CSV table of all heavy atoms in Angstrom, one decimal:
chain,number,residue,atom,x,y,z
O,1314,HIS,N,14.3,-22.7,-7.4
O,1314,HIS,CA,13.2,-23.2,-6.5
O,1314,HIS,C,12.9,-22.2,-5.4
O,1314,HIS,O,11.8,-21.8,-5.1
O,1314,HIS,CB,13.6,-24.5,-5.9
O,1314,HIS,CG,12.6,-25.1,-4.9
O,1314,HIS,ND1,11.4,-25.5,-5.4
O,1314,HIS,CD2,12.6,-25.1,-3.6
O,1314,HIS,CE1,10.7,-25.9,-4.3
O,1314,HIS,NE2,11.5,-25.7,-3.2
O,1315,VAL,N,14.1,-21.7,-4.7
O,1315,VAL,CA,13.9,-20.7,-3.6
O,1315,VAL,C,13.2,-19.4,-4.2
O,1315,VAL,O,12.4,-18.9,-3.6
O,1315,VAL,CB,15.2,-20.4,-3.0
O,1315,VAL,CG1,15.1,-19.3,-2.0
O,1315,VAL,CG2,15.7,-21.6,-2.3
O,1316,ARG,N,13.7,-19.0,-5.4
O,1316,ARG,CA,13.2,-17.7,-5.9
O,1316,ARG,C,11.7,-17.9,-6.2
O,1316,ARG,O,10.9,-17.0,-6.0
O,1316,ARG,CB,14.0,-17.5,-7.2
O,1316,ARG,CG,13.5,-16.0,-7.8
O,1316,ARG,CD,14.6,-15.5,-8.9
O,1316,ARG,NE,14.7,-16.5,-10.0
O,1316,ARG,CZ,15.8,-17.2,-10.2
O,1316,ARG,NH1,16.9,-17.1,-9.4
O,1316,ARG,NH2,15.9,-18.1,-11.2
O,1317,ASN,N,11.3,-19.0,-6.7
O,1317,ASN,CA,9.8,-19.2,-7.1
O,1317,ASN,C,9.0,-19.3,-5.8
O,1317,ASN,O,7.9,-18.7,-5.7
O,1317,ASN,CB,9.7,-20.6,-7.8
O,1317,ASN,CG,10.2,-20.5,-9.3
O,1317,ASN,OD1,10.3,-19.4,-9.7
O,1317,ASN,ND2,10.4,-21.7,-9.8
O,1318,MET,N,9.6,-19.9,-4.7
O,1318,MET,CA,8.9,-19.9,-3.4
O,1318,MET,C,8.7,-18.4,-2.8
O,1318,MET,O,7.6,-18.1,-2.3
O,1318,MET,CB,9.7,-20.7,-2.5
O,1318,MET,CG,9.6,-22.2,-2.8
O,1318,MET,SD,8.0,-22.9,-2.7
O,1318,MET,CE,7.7,-22.8,-1.0
O,1319,VAL,N,9.7,-17.6,-3.0
O,1319,VAL,CA,9.7,-16.2,-2.6
O,1319,VAL,C,8.6,-15.5,-3.3
O,1319,VAL,O,7.8,-14.7,-2.8
O,1319,VAL,CB,11.0,-15.5,-2.7
O,1319,VAL,CG1,10.9,-14.0,-2.4
O,1319,VAL,CG2,11.9,-16.1,-1.7
O,1320,CYS,N,8.6,-15.7,-4.6
O,1320,CYS,CA,7.6,-15.0,-5.5
O,1320,CYS,C,6.1,-15.4,-5.1
O,1320,CYS,O,5.3,-14.6,-5.1
O,1320,CYS,CB,7.8,-15.2,-6.9
O,1320,CYS,SG,9.3,-14.5,-7.7
O,1321,LEU,N,5.9,-16.7,-4.9
O,1321,LEU,CA,4.6,-17.2,-4.5
O,1321,LEU,C,4.2,-16.6,-3.2
O,1321,LEU,O,3.0,-16.3,-3.0
O,1321,LEU,CB,4.6,-18.7,-4.5
O,1321,LEU,CG,4.6,-19.5,-5.8
O,1321,LEU,CD1,4.9,-20.9,-5.6
O,1321,LEU,CD2,3.3,-19.2,-6.6
O,1322,SER,N,5.1,-16.5,-2.3
O,1322,SER,CA,4.9,-15.9,-1.0
O,1322,SER,C,4.5,-14.5,-1.1
O,1322,SER,O,3.4,-14.0,-0.4
O,1322,SER,CB,6.0,-16.1,0.0
O,1322,SER,OG,5.8,-15.5,1.2
O,1323,GLN,N,5.2,-13.7,-1.9
O,1323,GLN,CA,4.8,-12.3,-2.1
O,1323,GLN,C,3.5,-12.1,-2.7
O,1323,GLN,O,2.8,-11.2,-2.3
O,1323,GLN,CB,6.0,-11.6,-2.9
O,1323,GLN,CG,7.3,-11.5,-2.2
O,1323,GLN,CD,8.4,-11.0,-3.2
O,1323,GLN,OE1,8.2,-11.1,-4.4
O,1323,GLN,NE2,9.5,-10.5,-2.5
O,1324,ARG,N,3.2,-12.9,-3.7
O,1324,ARG,CA,1.8,-12.9,-4.3
O,1324,ARG,C,0.7,-13.2,-3.4
O,1324,ARG,O,-0.3,-12.5,-3.4
O,1324,ARG,CB,1.8,-13.8,-5.5
O,1324,ARG,CG,2.6,-13.4,-6.7
O,1324,ARG,CD,2.5,-14.3,-7.8
O,1324,ARG,NE,3.4,-14.1,-8.9
O,1324,ARG,CZ,4.1,-15.1,-9.6
O,1324,ARG,NH1,3.8,-16.3,-9.4
O,1324,ARG,NH2,5.0,-14.8,-10.5
O,1325,SER,N,1.0,-14.2,-2.6
O,1325,SER,CA,0.0,-14.6,-1.5
O,1325,SER,C,-0.3,-13.4,-0.6
O,1325,SER,O,-1.4,-13.2,-0.2
O,1325,SER,CB,0.4,-15.8,-0.8
O,1325,SER,OG,-0.5,-16.2,0.2
O,1326,GLN,N,0.8,-12.8,-0.1
O,1326,GLN,CA,0.7,-11.7,0.8
O,1326,GLN,C,0.0,-10.5,0.2
O,1326,GLN,O,-0.9,-9.8,0.9
O,1326,GLN,CB,2.1,-11.2,1.3
O,1326,GLN,CG,2.8,-12.2,2.2
O,1326,GLN,CD,4.2,-11.8,2.5
O,1326,GLN,OE1,4.6,-10.8,2.2
O,1326,GLN,NE2,4.9,-12.8,3.2
O,1327,ALA,N,0.3,-10.3,-1.1
O,1327,ALA,CA,-0.4,-9.2,-1.7
O,1327,ALA,C,-1.9,-9.4,-1.9
O,1327,ALA,O,-2.7,-8.5,-1.7
O,1327,ALA,CB,0.3,-8.9,-3.2
O,1328,LYS,N,-2.2,-10.6,-2.3
O,1328,LYS,CA,-3.7,-11.0,-2.4
O,1328,LYS,C,-4.4,-10.9,-1.1
O,1328,LYS,O,-5.6,-10.4,-1.0
O,1328,LYS,CB,-3.7,-12.5,-2.9
O,1328,LYS,CG,-5.2,-12.9,-3.3
O,1328,LYS,CD,-5.2,-14.2,-3.9
O,1328,LYS,CE,-6.5,-14.7,-4.3
O,1328,LYS,NZ,-6.6,-16.1,-4.9
O,1329,SER,N,-3.7,-11.3,0.0
O,1329,SER,CA,-4.3,-11.2,1.4
O,1329,SER,C,-4.6,-9.7,1.7
O,1329,SER,O,-5.6,-9.4,2.3
O,1329,SER,CB,-3.3,-11.8,2.4
O,1329,SER,OG,-3.2,-13.2,2.1
O,1330,ARG,N,-3.6,-8.9,1.3
O,1330,ARG,CA,-3.8,-7.4,1.7
O,1330,ARG,C,-5.0,-6.8,0.9
O,1330,ARG,O,-5.6,-5.9,1.4
O,1330,ARG,CB,-2.6,-6.6,1.3
O,1330,ARG,CG,-1.4,-6.8,2.3
O,1330,ARG,CD,-0.3,-5.8,2.0
O,1330,ARG,NE,0.3,-5.8,0.8
O,1330,ARG,CZ,1.4,-6.6,0.5
O,1330,ARG,NH1,1.9,-7.3,1.5
O,1330,ARG,NH2,1.9,-6.5,-0.7
O,1331,ILE,N,-5.4,-7.5,-0.2
O,1331,ILE,CA,-6.5,-7.0,-1.0
O,1331,ILE,C,-7.8,-7.5,-0.5
O,1331,ILE,O,-8.7,-6.7,-0.3
O,1331,ILE,CB,-6.3,-7.3,-2.5
O,1331,ILE,CG1,-5.1,-6.5,-3.1
O,1331,ILE,CG2,-7.6,-7.0,-3.2
O,1331,ILE,CD1,-4.8,-7.0,-4.5
O,1332,ILE,N,-7.8,-8.8,-0.2
O,1332,ILE,CA,-9.1,-9.5,0.2
O,1332,ILE,C,-9.4,-9.3,1.6
O,1332,ILE,O,-10.6,-9.1,1.9
O,1332,ILE,CB,-8.9,-11.0,-0.1
O,1332,ILE,CG1,-8.8,-11.2,-1.7
O,1332,ILE,CG2,-10.1,-11.8,0.4
O,1332,ILE,CD1,-8.6,-12.6,-2.0
O,1333,PHE,N,-8.5,-9.3,2.5
O,1333,PHE,CA,-8.8,-9.2,3.9
O,1333,PHE,C,-9.6,-7.9,4.3
O,1333,PHE,O,-10.6,-8.0,5.0
O,1333,PHE,CB,-7.5,-9.2,4.7
O,1333,PHE,CG,-7.8,-9.3,6.2
O,1333,PHE,CD1,-8.3,-10.4,6.8
O,1333,PHE,CD2,-7.4,-8.3,7.1
O,1333,PHE,CE1,-8.6,-10.5,8.2
O,1333,PHE,CE2,-7.6,-8.3,8.5
O,1333,PHE,CZ,-8.2,-9.4,9.0
O,1334,PRO,N,-9.3,-6.7,3.8
O,1334,PRO,CA,-10.1,-5.5,4.1
O,1334,PRO,C,-11.5,-5.7,3.5
O,1334,PRO,O,-12.5,-5.2,4.1
O,1334,PRO,CB,-9.3,-4.4,3.4
O,1334,PRO,CG,-8.0,-4.8,3.3
O,1334,PRO,CD,-8.1,-6.3,3.1
O,1335,LEU,N,-11.7,-6.4,2.4
O,1335,LEU,CA,-13.0,-6.6,1.9
O,1335,LEU,C,-13.8,-7.5,2.7
O,1335,LEU,O,-15.0,-7.3,2.9
O,1335,LEU,CB,-12.9,-7.1,0.4
O,1335,LEU,CG,-12.3,-6.1,-0.7
O,1335,LEU,CD1,-12.1,-6.9,-1.9
O,1335,LEU,CD2,-13.3,-4.9,-0.8
O,1336,LEU,N,-13.2,-8.4,3.3
O,1336,LEU,CA,-13.9,-9.4,4.2
O,1336,LEU,C,-14.3,-8.7,5.5
O,1336,LEU,O,-15.4,-8.9,6.0
O,1336,LEU,CB,-13.0,-10.6,4.6
O,1336,LEU,CG,-12.6,-11.5,3.4
O,1336,LEU,CD1,-11.7,-12.6,3.9
O,1336,LEU,CD2,-13.9,-12.2,2.7
O,1337,ILE,N,-13.5,-7.8,5.9
O,1337,ILE,CA,-13.9,-6.9,7.1
O,1337,ILE,C,-15.0,-6.1,6.8
O,1337,ILE,O,-16.0,-5.9,7.5
O,1337,ILE,CB,-12.7,-6.1,7.6
O,1337,ILE,CG1,-11.6,-7.0,8.1
O,1337,ILE,CG2,-13.1,-5.1,8.6
O,1337,ILE,CD1,-10.3,-6.2,8.5
O,1338,LEU,N,-15.0,-5.5,5.5
O,1338,LEU,CA,-16.1,-4.6,5.1
O,1338,LEU,C,-17.4,-5.4,5.0
O,1338,LEU,O,-18.5,-4.9,5.5
O,1338,LEU,CB,-15.8,-4.1,3.7
O,1338,LEU,CG,-16.9,-3.2,3.0
O,1338,LEU,CD1,-17.1,-1.9,3.9
O,1338,LEU,CD2,-16.5,-2.9,1.6
O,1339,ILE,N,-17.4,-6.6,4.5
O,1339,ILE,CA,-18.6,-7.4,4.4
O,1339,ILE,C,-19.1,-7.8,5.8
O,1339,ILE,O,-20.3,-7.9,6.2
O,1339,ILE,CB,-18.4,-8.7,3.6
O,1339,ILE,CG1,-18.2,-8.3,2.1
O,1339,ILE,CG2,-19.5,-9.7,3.7
O,1339,ILE,CD1,-17.7,-9.5,1.2
O,1340,ALA,N,-18.2,-8.2,6.7
O,1340,ALA,CA,-18.5,-8.5,8.1
O,1340,ALA,C,-19.2,-7.4,8.8
O,1340,ALA,O,-20.2,-7.6,9.5
O,1340,ALA,CB,-17.3,-8.9,8.9
O,1341,VAL,N,-18.7,-6.2,8.6
O,1341,VAL,CA,-19.3,-5.0,9.2
O,1341,VAL,C,-20.8,-4.8,8.7
O,1341,VAL,O,-21.7,-4.6,9.5
O,1341,VAL,CB,-18.5,-3.7,8.9
O,1341,VAL,CG1,-19.3,-2.4,9.4
O,1341,VAL,CG2,-17.2,-3.8,9.7
O,1342,GLU,N,-21.0,-5.1,7.4
O,1342,GLU,CA,-22.3,-4.8,6.9
O,1342,GLU,C,-23.2,-5.9,7.2
O,1342,GLU,O,-24.5,-5.8,7.3
O,1342,GLU,CB,-22.2,-4.7,5.4
O,1342,GLU,CG,-21.6,-3.4,4.9
O,1342,GLU,CD,-21.4,-3.3,3.5
O,1342,GLU,OE1,-21.4,-4.4,2.7
O,1342,GLU,OE2,-21.2,-2.2,2.9
O,1343,LEU,N,-22.7,-7.2,7.6
O,1343,LEU,CA,-23.6,-8.2,8.1
O,1343,LEU,C,-24.1,-7.8,9.5
O,1343,LEU,O,-25.3,-8.1,9.8
O,1343,LEU,CB,-22.8,-9.5,8.3
O,1343,LEU,CG,-22.5,-10.3,7.0
O,1343,LEU,CD1,-21.5,-11.4,7.3
O,1343,LEU,CD2,-23.8,-10.9,6.5
O,1344,VAL,N,-23.4,-7.0,10.2
O,1344,VAL,CA,-23.8,-6.5,11.6
O,1344,VAL,C,-24.8,-5.4,11.4
O,1344,VAL,O,-25.8,-5.2,12.1
O,1344,VAL,CB,-22.6,-6.2,12.5
O,1344,VAL,CG1,-23.1,-5.6,13.8
O,1344,VAL,CG2,-21.8,-7.4,12.7
O,1345,GLN,N,-24.5,-4.4,10.4
O,1345,GLN,CA,-25.3,-3.3,10.2
O,1345,GLN,C,-25.7,-3.3,8.7
O,1345,GLN,O,-25.3,-2.4,8.0
O,1345,GLN,CB,-24.4,-2.0,10.5
O,1345,GLN,CG,-24.1,-2.0,12.0
O,1345,GLN,CD,-23.1,-0.7,12.2
O,1345,GLN,OE1,-22.1,-0.6,11.7
O,1345,GLN,NE2,-23.7,0.3,12.9
O,1346,PRO,N,-26.6,-4.1,8.3
O,1346,PRO,CA,-27.1,-4.2,6.9
O,1346,PRO,C,-27.8,-3.0,6.4
O,1346,PRO,O,-28.0,-2.8,5.3
O,1346,PRO,CB,-27.9,-5.5,6.9
O,1346,PRO,CG,-28.4,-5.7,8.3
O,1346,PRO,CD,-27.3,-5.1,9.1
O,1347,THR,N,-28.4,-2.2,7.3
O,1347,THR,CA,-29.2,-1.0,7.0
O,1347,THR,C,-28.6,0.3,7.4
O,1347,THR,O,-29.3,1.3,7.5
O,1347,THR,CB,-30.6,-1.1,7.5
O,1347,THR,OG1,-30.6,-1.2,8.9
O,1347,THR,CG2,-31.4,-2.4,7.0
O,1348,MET,N,-27.3,0.3,7.6
O,1348,MET,CA,-26.6,1.5,8.1
O,1348,MET,C,-26.7,2.6,7.1
O,1348,MET,O,-26.8,2.4,5.9
O,1348,MET,CB,-25.1,1.2,8.4
O,1348,MET,CG,-24.3,0.8,7.2
O,1348,MET,SD,-22.6,0.5,7.7
O,1348,MET,CE,-21.9,0.1,6.1
O,1349,SER,N,-26.8,3.8,7.6
O,1349,SER,CA,-26.7,5.0,6.7
O,1349,SER,C,-25.3,5.3,6.3
O,1349,SER,O,-24.3,5.0,7.0
O,1349,SER,CB,-27.2,6.3,7.5
O,1349,SER,OG,-27.1,7.4,6.7
O,1350,CYS,N,-25.1,5.7,5.0
O,1350,CYS,CA,-23.9,5.9,4.4
O,1350,CYS,C,-23.6,7.4,4.2
O,1350,CYS,O,-22.4,7.7,3.7
O,1350,CYS,CB,-23.7,5.2,3.0
O,1350,CYS,SG,-24.3,3.5,3.1
O,1351,LYS,N,-24.4,8.2,4.6
O,1351,LYS,CA,-24.3,9.6,4.3
O,1351,LYS,C,-23.2,10.3,5.0
O,1351,LYS,O,-22.6,11.4,4.6
O,1351,LYS,CB,-25.6,10.3,4.6
O,1351,LYS,CG,-26.8,10.0,3.7
O,1351,LYS,CD,-28.1,10.7,4.0
O,1351,LYS,CE,-29.2,10.2,3.2
O,1351,LYS,NZ,-30.5,10.9,3.4
O,1352,ASN,N,-22.7,9.7,6.2
O,1352,ASN,CA,-21.6,10.3,6.9
O,1352,ASN,C,-20.3,9.7,6.6
O,1352,ASN,O,-19.3,10.1,7.2
O,1352,ASN,CB,-21.9,10.3,8.4
O,1352,ASN,CG,-23.1,11.1,8.8
O,1352,ASN,OD1,-23.3,12.2,8.3
O,1352,ASN,ND2,-23.9,10.6,9.7
O,1353,GLU,N,-20.2,8.7,5.7
O,1353,GLU,CA,-19.0,8.1,5.4
O,1353,GLU,C,-18.1,9.1,4.5
O,1353,GLU,O,-18.7,9.9,3.9
O,1353,GLU,CB,-19.2,6.8,4.6
O,1353,GLU,CG,-19.7,5.7,5.4
O,1353,GLU,CD,-19.5,4.3,4.7
O,1353,GLU,OE1,-18.7,4.2,3.9
O,1353,GLU,OE2,-20.4,3.5,4.9
O,1354,ASN,N,-16.8,8.9,4.6
O,1354,ASN,CA,-15.9,9.6,3.7
O,1354,ASN,C,-16.2,9.2,2.3
O,1354,ASN,O,-16.2,8.0,1.9
O,1354,ASN,CB,-14.4,9.2,4.1
O,1354,ASN,CG,-13.4,9.9,3.2
O,1354,ASN,OD1,-13.1,9.4,2.1
O,1354,ASN,ND2,-13.0,11.0,3.7
O,1355,CYS,N,-16.4,10.2,1.5
O,1355,CYS,CA,-16.9,10.0,0.1
O,1355,CYS,C,-15.8,9.2,-0.7
O,1355,CYS,O,-16.2,8.3,-1.4
O,1355,CYS,CB,-17.2,11.4,-0.5
O,1355,CYS,SG,-17.8,11.3,-2.3
O,1356,SER,N,-14.6,9.7,-0.7
O,1356,SER,CA,-13.6,9.0,-1.5
O,1356,SER,C,-13.4,7.6,-1.1
O,1356,SER,O,-13.3,6.7,-1.9
O,1356,SER,CB,-12.3,9.7,-1.4
O,1356,SER,OG,-12.4,11.0,-1.9
O,1357,ARG,N,-13.5,7.3,0.2
O,1357,ARG,CA,-13.2,6.0,0.7
O,1357,ARG,C,-14.5,5.0,0.3
O,1357,ARG,O,-14.3,3.9,0.0
O,1357,ARG,CB,-13.1,5.9,2.2
O,1357,ARG,CG,-12.8,4.6,2.9
O,1357,ARG,CD,-12.5,4.6,4.3
O,1357,ARG,NE,-11.1,5.3,4.5
O,1357,ARG,CZ,-10.6,5.5,5.6
O,1357,ARG,NH1,-11.2,5.2,6.8
O,1357,ARG,NH2,-9.5,6.0,5.7
């Protein structure tokens, strides 16, 4: 039971690390929906 709880917690943390930056990205674009992208880091 404890091992399963630890695994679920780790998965939840990993999912949060993926989704949270994307939510920040969307929030920024809501503020600047027509921003120019030409000066952004290409790889990023």
